[in-house]
Amino acid sequence: MQIDMKQPILEKNDAIAAQLRQRFADAGVFVLDLLASPGSGKTSTILATIDALRDEFNIAVIEGDIASSVDAEKIKRQGTSAVQINTGGACHLESAMIKRAVDVLDLDRLDLIIIENVGNLVCPTDFDLGENAKVMILSVPEGDDKPLKYPGVFQVSDAIVLNKVDTMPVFDFNEQAFRDEVHRLNPTAPIFPIAATKGSGVEEWASWLAEKIRAI
Ligand SMILES: Nc1nc2c(ncn2[C@@H]2O[C@H](COP(=O)(O)OP(=O)(O)OP(=O)(O)O)[C@@H](O)[C@H]2O)c(=O)[nH]1
Ligand SMILES: [Mg+2]
């Protein structure tokens, strides 16, 4: 006998995600789910994105981590509302966790919610959080071969941020090989090379996101 545990978990997740998507649509808020490895620069990219967009949009952040509130504290220090979810070991966020975080946010006054998913290139790809877009970040030190090893996350992403491009001279990163493989997996996703902590490339990435937010 074979027992499929994954399907019922995903069905339950998807049902709550559908309710969330309706709530987000009713409130006119755009929700971005950010996927990436630990340390690739998710929080740094969020801080740079907020800097670029805060004059036009009201933004809140949902931080997903296995433990600690370090990232939420960083966001709050920048003057932006942040809710920390601790998964207690789980390698991804689920829609039920987002529902609890959303319940403490004032959706009607928000234009954008950025979700920093748990650092992982595998588990978060299967879980619908009711978002409008999934975007992944790959950082240069992780290597140009990651689309070959983790194709799923590149396939589900609406855009790909290539972070830490200031470290290109130190790492043997073949940007053309990376672009070719990403394009093969996901022909429509734009790639934004940025250095989140230096500010370079952030404007192009933020403009793409701003257009998506304005469109809803
Ligand atoms: N050189 C360089 N360092 C960066 C850049 N972006 C982030 N970093 C550094 O990379 C480290 C991790 O950055 P975070 O933004 O905390 O990464 P994260 O993905 O949020 O990390 P976790 O939440 O722990 O998974 C920090 O030391 C950052 O200063 C960049 O563009 N260039
Ligand atoms: Mg972080």
Side-chain angles (χ1 to χ4, degrees):
M1 185 171 114
Q2 222 175 19
I3 301 174
D4 181 357
M5 294 304 292
K6 193 177 171 191
Q7 200 52 36
I9 291 171
L10 287 181
E11 278 170 12
K12 193 171 158 218
N13 181 79
D14 289 352
I16 297 171
Q19 292 167 13
L20 281 174
R21 187 164 280 113
Q22 188 60 52
R23 273 176 78 184
F24 296 146
D26 291 345
V29 59
F30 186 95
V31 179
L32 172 69
D33 181 16
L34 264 189
L35 316 176
S37 304
S40 57
K42 296 179 294 299
T43 308
S44 304
T45 300
I46 291 171
L47 290 169
T49 306
I50 292 171
D51 263 347
L53 297 181
R54 69 191 323 164
D55 288 346
E56 183 175 355
F57 303 112
N58 287 319
I59 306 170
V61 176
I62 298 175
E63 284 290 344
D65 282 294
I66 285 173
S68 96
S69 58
V70 173
D71 282 354
E73 297 306 327
K74 278 187 198 163
I75 304 290
K76 284 186 206 162
R77 274 202 297 279
Q78 208 202 25
T80 299
S81 307
V83 183
Q84 181 77 51
I85 297 172
N86 283 144
T87 64
C91 57
H92 60 271
L93 293 174
E94 296 186 12
S95 54
M97 303 174 191
I98 299 300
K99 183 176 181 303
R100 289 185 59 188
V102 163
D103 285 343
V104 303
L105 293 172
D106 183 359
L107 280 190
D108 287 329
R109 61 159 284 278
L110 291 174
D111 305 306
L112 170 66
I113 297 174
I114 305 176
I115 300 171
E116 177 173 341
N117 215 310
V118 179
N120 189 311
L121 288 183
V122 183
C123 310
T125 58
D126 283 338
F127 287 84
D128 184 0
L129 304 180
E131 76 280 336
N132 297 85
K134 283 193 192 295
V135 169
M136 79 155 299
I137 302 174
L138 186 87
S139 62
V140 166
E142 293 168 74
D144 55 58
D145 57 359
K146 291 303 163 289
L148 295 164
K149 295 184 175 183
Y150 303 94
V153 66
F154 288 88
Q155 283 165 324
V156 302
S157 295
D158 296 285
I160 287 119
V161 172
L162 178 61
N163 189 33
K164 307 194 189 181
V165 290
D166 56 305
T167 68
M168 283 267 188
V170 190
F171 293 95
D172 196 13
F173 191 95
N174 184 335
E175 188 174 348
Q176 195 53 53
F178 173 75
R179 283 181 176 275
D180 289 348
E181 189 53 26
V182 170
H183 190 71
R184 195 184 67 77
L185 290 167
N186 189 340
T188 58
I191 299 173
F192 297 102
I194 72 163
T197 50
K198 321 278 177 200
S200 63
V202 172
E203 209 179 306
E204 289 81 356
W205 146 245
S207 303
W208 177 87
L209 182 57
E211 239 171 72
K212 299 265 172 212
I213 302 165
R214 287 184 208 116
I216 62 157

